Amino acid sequence: MEPFKCDYSLHSIIFNGSEEVTFKTLMHKGKKGSRFCRPRHRGTLSHDRLRSLASLNGRQSEIRVQVVVLGDIGRSPRIQYHALSIAKHGGSVDLIGYTAPFKVIHQTCSLYYALGYRTPPARWLLVQNPPTIPTLLVAQVICFIRNTHLIIDWHNFGFSILGLRLGPAHPLVRISEAFERLSCSRAVAHLAVSNAMARVLKENWRLRGQVLPLHDRPFAHFRPLQENERVDFLAKCPETAFVIEGIKSGRTKVLVSSTSWTPDEDFSLLLDALVTYAAQATTDDRLPDILAVITGKGPQKEAFSSRIRDMIDQGRLKKVHLKTAWLSAEDYAKLLASADLGVSLHTSSSGLDLPMKVVDMLGVGLPVVGWANFDAWPELIQEGINGRGFRSSAALSTLLVNLFGKEERELQHLRRGAVLEGKRRWDDEWDPVAGKLLGLCI
């Protein structure tokens, strides 16, 4: 998905190979050159203490925040949402990330230069983790030198992601965990994407700063579509237009999933489920055709596409159409809103993070079936209310047969639940948690 456009004030610096380039610079709402003082209290900070730090230097409009993700900003919607919310409430934002990967030493130098020289001093430094190396180390050095208060926004644990590739018992994974624990110890506050993650950080990590759950929620451009809007979009979208008549008649159902094609999503589950569904649909006229559209880019996409071609050649996907796509933010939101069912294959390396794609799906009122074998899943999907969970390809196939054929009333029930869940938006979640923490919301 391409990054969406915004109208709020923010200043973005993106690392691009060997040089830094200005991505978007608009007028800041806040004043430049605010003066900052180092907090005398270095231990655990209460919520009231954190809020008092946010108001040390005068009016709300003078609050400046550096927002850092050592990754592609376009693929970091939560960080984009943070920046937009800060600017919306009158703060000044320096959004820092990169458009292309490069070596760790270069990352370290470029990030230090961007935070220490390219941007004015800020009261707060909000850092996404992971990646942990070298982000947290550089952030702590900058915060010490510039009297800035560090907030870590926990999306997952960096060492658990490394463990997907090397195995959880690998020495480098153990070293990575120790480094991550050490590097986060001096942050004044921590934002966690789930209650389960917040609980682990509080109970097992012995952090000095306050830990606050901040769930992902859909942004404004994710909204349900009217039926005429849905049909118009599907008739124009290249990935769906060829079956528009089947869609309008109800003989073709649209299934959608999005992915970055990384090891924490096993798309063989979906392929195996579709093969089983296709075998049953060829002998059961009550079952509709399925058009499955998989969006996103990533390292495993070509292998997946090759496997699809082999299955089609073998005749194993009759009554099933599979398409891959890369869409603009606007079209991605419309595709989700036009689909009949969303699928999440996110397995969670830590068991504590939540897939943003499911948040987006609920935001447009799309019911979701997803891999449910991790602790945080129930925080997002209420079983039988706005979605269903599965733990095997056979279970996924059974859900597809039931929801598209035998129990279509349940699909409509799940859609109503998804619409209800999607009414709670990012601002509703962000303002009372991060907004108050930064001193931007009362």
Side-chain angles (χ1 to χ4, degrees):
M1 182 182 70
E2 295 177 358
F4 60 86
K5 298 179 181 178
C6 64
D7 297 323
Y8 298 119
S9 301
L10 56 89
H11 175 68
S12 299
I13 292 180
I14 297 183
F15 304 150
N16 186 9
S18 62
E19 62 180 358
E20 296 158 344
V21 294
T22 299
F23 175 70
K24 181 179 292 183
T25 305
L26 302 175
M27 292 300 295
H28 290 294
K29 294 181 179 179
K31 292 183 178 180
K32 295 183 178 180
S34 297
R35 303 182 72 180
F36 305 88
C37 60
R38 186 184 304 278
R40 295 179 181 177
H41 185 63
R42 284 289 182 179
T44 302
L45 300 181
S46 68
H47 194 66
D48 289 337
R49 172 61 175 160
L50 290 171
R51 291 185 63 189
S52 69
L53 287 175
S55 58
L56 282 175
N57 298 301
R59 299 192 308 273
Q60 172 177 306
S61 62
E62 296 176 334
I63 293 175
R64 186 182 206 97
V65 184
Q66 292 174 317
V67 179
V68 177
V69 51
L70 202 62
D72 186 347
I73 291 176
R75 297 191 183 188
S76 305
R78 181 177 167 100
I79 285 296
Q80 295 178 26
Y81 296 170
H82 276 304
L84 290 172
S85 294
I86 292 166
K88 175 183 177 181
H89 287 287
S92 295
V93 186
D94 295 298
L95 179 56
I96 299 169
Y98 68 74
T99 57
F102 45 98
K103 301 299 183 180
V104 172
I105 294 177
H106 193 181
Q107 286 178 343
T108 304
C109 297
S110 297
L111 181 60
Y112 181 83
Y113 180 64
L115 290 173
Y117 295 93
R118 289 292 303 279
T119 54
R123 187 175 308 165
W124 303 99
L125 176 56
L126 176 62
V127 176
Q128 172 184 300
N129 184 65
T132 304
I133 302 172
T135 315
L136 293 185
L137 178 61
V138 175
Q140 293 217 55
V141 171
I142 289 295
C143 286
F144 179 80
I145 294 174
R146 304 189 92 178
N147 302 324
T148 297
H149 310 298
L150 176 63
I151 301 172
I152 299 176
D153 187 33
W154 292 84
H155 295 210
N156 203 342
F157 294 135
F159 74 89
S160 70
I161 295 175
L162 183 62
L164 289 177
R165 184 159 53 92
L166 301 180
H170 195 282
L172 286 180
V173 176
R174 301 288 179 85
I175 293 172
S176 176
E177 180 180 3
F179 179 84
E180 195 163 6
R181 287 176 177 270
L182 178 64
S183 298
C184 71
S185 60
R186 303 195 69 84
V188 299
H190 305 264
L191 303 175
V193 295
S194 70
N195 293 329
M197 179 172 287
R199 185 167 57 251
V200 168
L201 288 172
K202 288 178 182 179
E203 296 175 0
N204 299 342
W205 284 57
R206 299 180 182 178
L207 302 174
R208 298 184 182 184
Q210 192 169 93
V211 180
L212 304 171
L214 178 61
H215 289 87
D216 286 321
R217 293 292 175 182
F219 216 68
H221 63 296
F222 289 98
R223 63 174 183 84
L225 295 181
Q226 299 297 323
E227 182 61 22
N228 63 318
E229 295 178 297
R230 174 180 182 265
V231 173
D232 287 346
F233 172 77
L234 293 175
K236 295 175 182 177
C237 179
E239 286 76 22
T240 60
F242 73 102
V243 290
I244 188 60
E245 294 304 320
I247 291 173
K248 289 194 289 186
S249 68
R251 290 303 304 161
T252 299
K253 298 296 185 182
V254 180
L255 180 150
V256 66
S257 185
S258 62
T259 179
S260 54
W261 300 105
T262 51
D264 64 347
E265 292 180 309
D266 184 4
F267 265 81
S268 64
L269 287 169
L270 177 58
L271 280 180
D272 292 343
L274 289 175
V275 168
T276 303
Y277 177 92
Q280 188 167 344
T282 55
T283 60
D284 189 343
D285 291 338
R286 294 174 300 173
L287 294 179
D289 292 4
I290 289 180
L291 169 61
V293 183
I294 316 299
T295 70
K297 288 183 178 180
Q300 297 184 346
K301 182 178 180 179
E302 184 52 42
F304 178 79
S305 299
S306 176
R307 188 176 174 189
I308 291 175
R309 290 191 293 269
D310 291 341
M311 287 183 170
I312 292 174
D313 293 341
Q314 295 165 8
R316 300 175 66 192
L317 288 174
K318 293 178 180 179
K319 299 196 73 171
V320 172
H321 307 280
L322 267 164
K323 296 287 184 181
T324 58
W326 173 251
L327 304 172
S328 67
E330 180 181 1
D331 284 347
Y332 172 67
K334 288 182 178 179
L335 176 64
L336 294 185
S338 301
D340 296 291
L341 185 65
V343 177
S344 171
L345 297 168
H346 180 78
T347 56
S348 179
S349 62
S350 64
L352 305 173
D353 67 313
L354 291 167
M356 189 72 183
K357 72 193 75 178
V358 175
V359 175
D360 297 339
M361 291 171 182
L362 296 175
V364 301
L366 180 64
V368 180
V369 294
W371 179 260
N373 196 22
F374 60 98
D375 293 342
W377 176 254
E379 295 184 32
L380 197 55
I381 293 297
Q382 302 172 63
E383 185 69 21
I385 303 298
N386 56 14
R388 297 289 302 275
F390 60 85
R391 290 175 170 80
S392 67
S393 61
L396 174 56
S397 177
T398 299
L399 284 175
L400 296 180
V401 169
N402 290 340
L403 294 176
F404 285 160
K406 299 178 181 179
E407 301 173 14
E408 195 165 356
R409 286 185 180 179
E410 182 181 358
L411 183 60
Q412 298 307 316
H413 171 72
L414 295 178
R415 181 175 290 278
R416 289 191 292 272
V419 170
L420 185 62
E421 178 68 21
K423 288 183 177 180
R424 183 168 177 82
R425 294 283 156 166
W426 172 256
D427 289 345
D428 300 323
E429 192 78 18
W430 191 89
D431 289 1
V433 180
K436 283 187 178 180
L437 176 65
L438 297 171
L440 292 168
C441 299
I442 298 174

